[in-house]
């Protein structure tokens, strides 16, 4: 489908002025957007994933004349940079590919620093919950990971409370949640599921939980106990993955990481695997969203890029989605088949975050973490 657009653009150029005047960009097809995007010449995206480099190559091959500038940047840094630039009257970025949705909703969407756009081509293939208030391209994870070479019989953890046992003291890793919002969301979600954490406590220890007076509920007690058991905070996912996944390690730690990082096992010499059968859950699923920055300098190219990143009509999604069609990533577009080596979405024992509920609760958890570090 995408290859036909280059030819369509030549014909469309003849009627470019009428298309630009008559149509709302949000309603335009890729064929209509392309000549406008070529006139704009480029599009800039901040991306939570380094895989944007593969998208850059595929997009420019599909749409010659539109230069894609991809900047690999964490969600936390994206939010800070967009706020700072817009407050200074600078509008340099077009598209954000970003997680940390509780903050995006409160700091960016409500402040009208970004706007939602759903490509007409795929709107009927995405559930409403993934289209509003912002468009989710896929679901990503922060879940418990272990080394399947060292633990050949399966995950050594089947209950989150095991992570607070003396056996795992100093052997549980997490990227610092003060630096990566997705990890703060994970801890917040644990706190929000206090009843389930209480039941899991009783299943593991054989008695009812007693919650300390300085915390609220079993979820917060778990967070407190986890830090007290010498939780190791690392600076980034590369350090975490190498520490957990080193295929030659004898007694490796476990930790909360990104399921889809398994895609690099062979290249990096890792043996990362998801610990799926964990009570009451192994972590969280959260949306990776695509949104347009306010006063985007290349509005047509921005929409064309978002449309492209939802893939073509093949089961894998083609060049626009294939970099994300890996074990542990889950497309929101229903026509894209899940990766055969991935745990099926309905079987993944993870909580799906509600960004609004998480946003309301995460301030308290952030404060709690400060007291525990």
């Amino acid at each position: 489908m995408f290859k036909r657009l280059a030819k369509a653009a030549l014909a469309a150029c003849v009627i470019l002025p009428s298309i630009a005047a008559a149509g709302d960009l949000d309603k335009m097809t890729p064929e209509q957007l392309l000549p406008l995007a070529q006139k704009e010449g480029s599009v800039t995206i901040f991306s939570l994933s380094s895989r944007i480099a593969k998208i850059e190559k595929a997009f420019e091959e599909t749409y010659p004349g539109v230069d894609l500038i991809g900047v690999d940047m964490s969600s936390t840094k994206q939010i800070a940079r967009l706020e700072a630039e817009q407050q200074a009257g600078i509008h340099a970025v077009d598209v954000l590919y970003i997680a940390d949705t509780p903050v995006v909703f409160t700091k960016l969407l409500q402040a009208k620093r970004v706007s939602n756009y759903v490509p007409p081509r795929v709107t009927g293939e995405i559930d409403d919950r993934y289209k509003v208030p912002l468009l989710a391209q896929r679901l990503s994870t922060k879940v418990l990971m272990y080394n399947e070479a060292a633990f050949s019989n399966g995950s050594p953890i089947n209950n989150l409370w095991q992570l607070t046992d003396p056996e795992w003291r100093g052997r549980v890793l997490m990227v610092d949640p003060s630096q990566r919002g997705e990890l703060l969301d994970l801890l917040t979600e644990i706190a929000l599921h206090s009843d389930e954490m209480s039941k899991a406590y009783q299943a593991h220890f054989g008695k009812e939980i007693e919650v300390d007076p300085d915390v609220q509920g079993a979820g917060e007690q778990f967070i407190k106990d986890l830090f007290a058991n010498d939780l190791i905070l690392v600076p980034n996912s590369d350090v975490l993955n190498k520490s957990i996944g080193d295929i030659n390690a004898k007694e490796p730690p476990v930790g909360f990481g990104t399921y889809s990082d398994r895609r690099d096992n062979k290249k990096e010499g890792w043996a990362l695997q998801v610990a799926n059968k964990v009570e009451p859950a192994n972590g969280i699923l959260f949306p990776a969203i695509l949104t347009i920055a306010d006063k985007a300098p290349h509005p047509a190219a921005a929409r064309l890029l978002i449309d492209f990143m939802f893939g073509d009509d093949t089961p894998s999604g083609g060049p626009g989605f294939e970099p994300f069609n890996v074990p542990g990533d889950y497309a929101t577009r229903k026509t894209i088949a899940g990766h055969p080596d991935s745990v099926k979405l309905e079987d993944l024992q993870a909580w799906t975050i509600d960004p609004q509920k998480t946003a309301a609760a995460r301030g308290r958890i952030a404060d709690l973490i400060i007291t525990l570090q």
Side-chain angles (χ1 to χ4, degrees):
M1 187 275 289
F2 290 128
K3 291 182 179 179
R4 298 198 304 269
L5 297 186
K7 294 181 179 179
L10 297 175
C13 285
V14 179
I15 55 172
L16 180 58
S18 62
I19 290 178
D24 177 356
L25 288 175
D26 284 350
K27 298 177 182 178
M28 287 185 178
T29 65
E31 290 88 349
Q32 293 169 324
L33 288 169
L34 179 56
L36 301 176
Q38 288 174 323
K39 186 175 181 180
E40 292 170 351
S42 67
V43 58
T44 298
I45 181 172
F46 292 166
S47 171
L48 58 81
S49 172
S50 61
R51 286 173 278 179
I52 196 63
K54 295 181 179 179
I55 295 297
E56 182 176 348
K57 182 176 185 294
F59 180 82
E60 291 177 352
E61 288 177 352
T62 303
Y63 299 126
V66 186
D67 180 26
L68 173 56
I69 303 167
V71 183
D72 183 9
M73 188 184 302
S74 73
S75 298
T76 302
K77 290 181 179 179
Q78 287 188 49
I79 293 166
R81 179 162 167 179
L82 187 73
E83 283 188 311
E85 287 187 352
Q86 290 188 356
Q87 287 170 0
I90 298 170
H91 299 275
V93 63
D94 299 291
V95 177
L96 276 66
Y97 188 32
I98 190 169
D100 207 358
T101 47
V103 179
V104 174
F105 289 164
T106 54
K107 282 196 171 185
L108 300 187
L109 184 62
Q110 291 178 6
K112 298 183 179 179
R113 297 193 183 281
V114 297
S115 60
N116 196 29
Y117 166 69
V118 182
R121 181 177 65 89
V122 299
T123 186
E125 301 168 2
I126 304 171
D127 288 343
D128 289 345
R129 59 180 169 157
Y130 298 133
K131 292 188 290 189
V132 291
L134 286 171
L135 178 67
Q137 183 233 22
R138 62 183 170 97
L139 299 178
S140 188
T141 60
K142 288 300 175 187
V143 290
L144 192 64
M145 303 293 290
Y146 73 99
N147 186 314
E148 63 180 346
F151 300 102
S152 56
N153 292 326
S155 171
I157 304 297
N158 56 39
N159 187 309
L160 286 181
W161 286 100
Q162 287 177 252
L163 303 178
T164 68
D165 288 342
E167 177 187 358
W168 290 96
R169 179 176 293 275
R171 297 178 62 202
V172 183
L173 275 57
M174 175 186 292
V175 175
D176 188 342
S178 67
Q179 302 299 317
R180 291 299 297 257
E182 301 95 323
L183 278 306
L184 180 56
D185 292 345
L186 166 67
L187 295 178
T188 302
E189 198 68 18
I190 290 172
L192 288 172
H193 288 266
S194 184
D195 288 346
E196 292 173 61
M197 291 300 295
S198 180
K199 292 177 182 177
Y201 181 95
Q202 187 161 19
H204 181 56
F205 293 109
K207 61 181 180 179
E208 291 188 3
I209 189 170
E210 294 183 8
V211 177
D212 294 342
D214 59 338
V215 295
Q216 297 179 5
E220 289 190 15
Q221 186 67 55
F222 170 81
I223 296 170
K224 181 179 179 180
D225 292 353
L226 183 63
F227 274 82
N229 207 35
D230 293 342
L231 172 69
I232 297 176
L233 300 181
V234 297
N236 55 57
S237 57
D238 289 339
V239 174
L240 182 137
N241 290 336
K242 183 177 181 180
S243 300
I244 296 171
D246 183 353
I247 201 166
N248 296 312
K250 301 303 180 185
E251 294 185 354
V254 297
F256 292 97
T258 303
Y259 181 12
S260 62
D261 283 347
R262 285 194 69 242
R263 69 185 184 276
D264 292 330
N265 272 358
K266 185 175 181 180
K267 180 179 73 173
E268 300 291 346
W270 297 337
L272 290 171
Q273 183 56 276
V274 63
N276 191 42
K277 296 181 180 180
V278 178
E279 294 296 332
N282 63 0
I284 59 170
L285 283 157
F286 61 88
I289 59 178
L290 285 163
T291 185
I292 297 178
D294 182 46
K295 296 184 177 64
H298 310 102
R303 287 161 175 81
L304 190 64
L305 174 59
I306 290 175
D307 179 280
F308 181 76
M309 288 181 66
F310 272 87
D312 60 22
D313 296 331
T314 61
S316 69
F321 191 81
E322 282 177 352
F324 308 105
N325 195 2
V326 299
D329 277 334
Y330 300 93
T332 57
R333 189 180 175 198
K334 297 176 184 177
T335 55
I336 297 177
H339 194 283
D341 293 334
S342 184
V343 174
K344 291 182 179 180
L345 180 58
E346 58 268 25
D347 296 331
L348 188 69
Q349 301 298 305
W351 292 308
T352 301
I353 72 167
D354 180 327
Q356 292 176 317
K357 288 183 179 179
T358 304
R362 63 184 264 157
R364 173 177 171 78
I365 303 306
D367 290 342
L368 174 62
I369 291 170
I370 291 173
T371 69
L372 298 175
Q373 288 180 302

